[in-house]
Amino acid sequence: MSERPSVEYARQLMFRMTGDEKHAVAAESTFDVLWVLYTRVLRPVRSEVSGIDRFYLSKGHGPMAYYAVLAALGEVELTDVLQFGAFNGRLGHHPDGELVPGIHISSGSLGHGPGLAAGTALAWRSQGALRNRVFVLVGDGELDEGSTWEAIAAIGRLELSSIHVVVIDNGSASLGWPGGLMGRFVSEGWSSSEADSADHAAIERCLTRNSGRPSVTVIRHRSSRGDT
Amino acid sequence: MAGAMRERFAQVACELLDEDPRTMVLLADLSVAMFDAGHRRHPHRVINFGIREQLLIDAAGGAALAGARPIVHSFAPFLIERPFEQIKISLSHQGAGAVLVSAGASYDIASGGRTHQAPADVALISTLEGWTVRVPGHPDEVDGALRAAVRGESHQYVRLSVESNSSSLITDGRPMRLLKAGKRGTVIAIGPMADRTLAATEGWDVSVVYTDRAFPWPERFLRSVISAASPVVAVVEPYLEGTSLRELHRVTRGAPLSIEMIGVAPQELRNYGTSYQHAVAHGLDVAGIKRRLESHLGQAASSWF
């Protein structure tokens, strides 16, 4: 790509899909971390490091930010964005990896991403592909799903250090997570960090650190409407 | 008591770990010791997740997405029913192939009660597109079934049972075989139901077909067998009665047939005991099958001729 992709252009693409800037919170909460991930972290962006990266959007809800970032980077076409949710469109209200090669998993039903990542990491380990990494984006509400905790415990105990889970914490878990989410990962042996969703440099630092253990980064997101 | 089919499965799976570097064996605390040899030789390719069946299936999907060929094993209720949405999403919808292998078919674990019985497993899988379901009828059929399932990248379910015929009936790898030819109708015996179906129809002028597949069935072969006799078909299936209707309909679409399905009744028995006692209670012993077939062939004959 000759021109440096613009974060503002990507944001405008997202608003084209969300339709209303005031009601874009679900999508917006993931926008910043996706932007940093795709422009500063995921190989081949950082092609000086060998190995491949995968990104599993486990939280398939509100994927407009994801599509916007992919479109700004040329992974999907502008016409795909214009066809958002249409019968013949490739970008639906939940993403389908069979329709778009750049989308690494199909999601929408919550709680599958961490388990899929566990299998991918185990396959890589068996292949000796130890430099590969898989980033998994989950929401704090999604962690209500018991299937995520089957994976989180097993990933810790099987020491699958190629996995980096990013939790978007926008306080959407109905029964809350008393004491916070972080401790629950830490007690399973994960390496943890946290950043504010507006702080791109901090997000980049969190996502590029190499701990030799499974990693979790909790992204705190405050609603742009200021009503949280 | 592990059962001869399960022993053979573990043995062949360990051979496949040696032969095919794509293969992985994924477990959830059941049959783990049977894979000790494979685990010693390939510690990174035999994984026990503990009692985590949702993870078992999700991880199979993730491993397939990274080019592995996962062989995934548990008892039928915990492999198919408990994580069914994982099968639907992380295998089927994801386009990620896997080989699921269950033990504990239908009422095999009779004394375990309803929690350990899953006669509807094949019916559930039949709601998903593109799966092949293999139902070996004898331990000697497990080798070929598993190797054929592991080849390629497709969605495969191999259903093992403690019920068995006295010998292998599949000799050349074909999915169906005519055991005897007759004129009064066609009886399709699936997997371990073959011996008792042959006994129930002894001396009768009916065709009996054996298959080690729940689906897909070979269209041309089955249509030619059925059309060579009176238009009366019965299926003897080792799982929920009616499971094979969809496949039978696909294969015989348009043919005016009188059809009977003989399988595991949907009612919960709430009995323990042995698998044979359950077979009798469901009418899946020789006498029960004979009763149902007699009634069906008699009715069909009186209404057709």
Side-chain angles (χ1 to χ4, degrees):
Chain A
M1 180 169 291
S2 54
E3 283 179 49
R4 190 181 160 79
S6 142
V7 65
E8 273 318 307
Y9 175 60
R11 217 183 279 277
Q12 289 311 313
L13 287 175
M14 176 174 71
F15 290 144
R16 182 178 276 278
M17 286 177 279
T18 57
D20 181 348
E21 297 190 27
K22 301 290 185 214
H23 293 88
V25 179
E28 222 184 311
S29 68
T30 60
F31 179 84
D32 290 283
V33 68
L34 288 170
W35 182 256
V36 172
L37 200 52
Y38 270 84
T39 58
R40 303 191 194 181
V41 178
L42 290 183
R43 293 165 288 188
V45 173
R46 288 165 54 88
S47 55
E48 74 279 9
V49 196
S50 65
I52 61 161
D53 287 331
R54 291 263 178 90
F55 172 63
Y56 290 177
L57 181 73
S58 186
K59 183 179 95 118
H61 293 15
M64 295 79 93
Y66 184 33
Y67 298 154
V69 170
L70 291 176
L73 298 175
E75 288 278 341
V76 299
E77 304 295 323
L78 186 58
T79 51
D80 291 320
V81 172
L82 299 175
Q83 290 266 298
F84 175 59
F87 184 77
N88 286 316
R90 296 199 303 163
L91 306 179
H93 292 193
H94 302 110
D96 187 335
E98 294 280 284
L99 294 178
V100 184
I103 290 176
H104 296 161
I105 61 165
S106 305
S107 56
S109 169
L110 297 173
H112 295 293
L116 284 164
T120 297
L122 284 165
W124 283 341
R125 177 184 280 178
S126 78
Q127 296 157 359
L130 301 178
R131 289 179 175 279
N132 292 1
R133 300 178 304 180
V134 55
F135 292 84
V136 187
L137 192 145
V138 302
D140 64 305
E142 178 177 16
L143 291 171
D144 287 352
E145 293 282 6
S147 58
T148 61
W149 296 102
E150 289 190 12
I152 288 161
I155 288 166
R157 293 173 219 174
L158 296 170
E159 299 175 351
L160 300 177
S161 56
S162 59
I163 295 175
H164 197 134
V165 165
V166 181
V167 185
I168 306 292
D169 186 358
N170 53 9
S172 66
S174 290
L175 303 183
W177 286 105
L181 281 161
M182 193 83 89
R184 294 170 162 84
F185 285 85
V186 171
S187 66
E188 292 293 352
W190 291 57
S191 160
S192 66
S193 62
E194 58 185 324
D196 194 278
S197 67
D199 188 345
H200 287 197
I203 294 172
E204 181 181 358
R205 273 196 306 278
C206 289
L207 299 186
T208 52
R209 79 201 150 79
N210 187 354
S211 65
R213 286 185 284 155
S215 300
V216 60
T217 295
V218 176
I219 306 289
R220 293 178 307 267
H221 179 79
R222 281 163 299 157
S223 162
S224 58
R225 288 180 290 173
D227 61 357
T228 53
Chain B
M1 190 194 72
M5 284 198 197
R6 186 149 54 120
E7 298 277 6
R8 287 296 287 275
F9 156 59
Q11 180 199 327
V12 176
C14 288
E15 290 170 13
L16 285 165
L17 285 167
D18 294 338
E19 296 164 17
D20 182 348
R22 300 176 312 145
T23 53
M24 296 178 79
V25 171
L26 306 182
L27 304 167
D29 264 2
L30 290 170
S31 314
V32 172
M34 299 171 77
F35 293 92
D36 277 349
H39 183 254
R40 267 196 307 278
R41 291 199 295 275
H42 309 282
H44 290 318
R45 289 166 56 207
V46 179
I47 311 293
N48 177 19
F49 289 110
I51 308 164
R52 295 184 175 88
E53 288 91 5
Q54 300 188 76
L55 175 60
L56 180 70
I57 302 294
D58 277 340
L65 290 177
R69 184 62 169 153
I71 300 168
V72 190
H73 170 66
S74 185
F75 288 171
F78 317 128
L79 183 71
I80 305 297
E81 292 181 317
R82 187 175 187 122
F84 184 69
E85 201 242 7
Q86 274 74 17
I87 294 174
K88 174 190 158 196
I89 298 301
S90 293
L91 298 179
S92 278
H93 179 54
Q94 216 62 252
V99 181
L100 308 185
V101 183
S102 73
S106 291
Y107 45 76
D108 276 4
I109 311 177
S111 61
R114 178 66 172 173
T115 57
H116 283 58
Q117 296 165 10
D121 56 342
V122 177
L124 277 170
I125 294 292
S126 78
T127 64
L128 302 171
E129 181 190 352
W131 281 75
T132 297
V133 177
R134 300 171 190 273
V135 191
H138 185 272
D140 289 348
E141 294 174 19
V142 172
D143 191 311
L146 185 65
R147 286 174 184 278
V150 167
R151 221 171 284 137
E153 300 180 345
S154 60
H155 294 105
Q156 299 271 339
Y157 176 34
V158 183
R159 188 188 204 254
L160 309 178
S161 180
V162 296
E163 292 193 304
S164 170
N165 302 313
S166 56
S167 62
S168 169
L169 293 168
I170 291 292
T171 49
D172 54 1
R174 280 187 307 179
M176 265 191 179
R177 182 179 158 193
L178 187 63
L179 297 181
K180 69 173 189 179
K183 289 288 168 209
R184 287 183 62 202
T186 303
V187 184
I188 301 167
I190 301 175
M193 297 293 110
D195 275 4
R196 61 191 83 175
T197 301
L198 282 173
T201 58
E202 200 180 342
W204 293 7
D205 185 24
V206 295
S207 296
V208 175
V209 169
Y210 174 68
T211 181
D212 69 344
R213 297 267 183 94
F215 47 83
W217 284 346
E219 242 164 279
R220 191 176 301 176
F221 174 82
L222 191 54
R223 286 183 72 102
S224 75
V225 171
I226 289 172
S227 62
S230 294
V232 180
V233 173
V235 178
V236 186
E237 47 192 357
Y239 24 72
L240 184 69
E241 191 164 291
T243 298
S244 305
L245 260 179
R246 179 193 294 263
E247 184 61 8
L248 183 63
H249 176 248
R250 184 186 72 79
V251 169
T252 63
R253 192 183 295 257
L257 295 174
S258 170
I259 291 169
E260 174 69 316
M261 310 300 290
I262 303 171
V264 178
Q267 294 81 16
E268 280 193 40
L269 286 183
R270 296 196 186 273
N271 291 101
Y272 295 108
T274 66
S275 59
Y276 180 70
Q277 289 174 308
H278 280 241
V280 172
H282 288 293
L284 280 176
D285 60 330
V286 173
I289 292 169
K290 188 169 186 168
R291 227 170 18 246
R292 294 277 296 275
L293 285 176
E294 266 170 351
S295 159
H296 179 57
L297 289 166
Q299 280 170 14
S302 60
S303 61
W304 280 96
F305 305 107

